[in-house]
Amino acid sequence: MIPEITLQYAAILGLIYTVLTVTVVVMRGKYKVPFGDGGVQPLLRAIRAHGNFIEYIPLILILMIAYELTGGSALILNKLGLMLVYARTIHVIAMFSRLNSMPYYFGRVVGATTTVGIMAFYCIHLILI
């Protein structure tokens, strides 16, 4: 059995990750900072958006694959997959928004909370089966 639904979301999330990676690379060139963030706030935000994404997405994709391979609901996979793409997208937008603005707080809180909630759902489900 091929986890087709999860693979679709892996591809979409992979594209988002690609954009984040290119953003960091371009900013490193623009600000001439080969390592670290050089104290450059826009670069620091890009690095953290990139890092935060890769801290969560691989594990969630593994959990999604396990859920799908154990006969999980296609409807739930799609709903949570769409929610995950939305959560990570608004989190990225927030990371590049003006500090102390509504998009900054909303995107960070909703993006992070949704991501952790989705991860918890899959973990709990897999423990219980």
Side-chain angles (χ1 to χ4, degrees):
M1 179 179 173
I2 297 173
E4 294 176 8
I5 297 170
T6 302
L7 293 178
Q8 295 279 325
Y9 290 103
I12 293 166
L13 292 163
L15 288 174
I16 295 170
Y17 186 69
T18 301
V19 170
L20 290 170
T21 301
V22 170
T23 301
V24 170
V25 170
V26 168
M27 285 188 164
R28 284 192 182 287
K30 177 181 177 181
Y31 295 110
K32 298 178 182 11
V33 180
F35 303 105
D37 61 34
V40 178
Q41 190 69 348
L43 178 57
L44 171 62
R45 288 171 171 232
I47 290 168
R48 282 312 312 141
H50 178 265
N52 188 274
F53 194 92
I54 203 64
E55 289 165 3
Y56 289 98
I57 295 305
L59 176 58
I60 293 173
L61 288 172
I62 291 167
L63 295 168
M64 286 177 73
I65 287 170
Y67 178 83
E68 188 169 0
L69 291 176
T70 58
S73 163
L75 181 63
I76 289 175
L77 272 165
N78 278 300
K79 282 185 177 184
L80 293 181
L82 287 171
M83 286 174 60
L84 184 60
V85 169
Y86 171 74
R88 298 321 303 168
T89 300
I90 64 169
H91 190 271
V92 167
I93 291 167
M95 292 297 288
F96 291 99
S97 296
R98 188 172 46 84
L99 289 176
N100 302 322
S101 67
M102 181 57 108
Y104 178 79
Y105 288 118
F106 176 80
R108 301 260 341 251
V109 170
V110 173
T113 304
T114 303
T115 299
V116 171
I118 291 168
M119 184 170 56
F121 167 82
Y122 286 123
C123 289
I124 292 166
H125 174 82
L126 293 167
I127 288 168
L128 294 175
I129 58 168

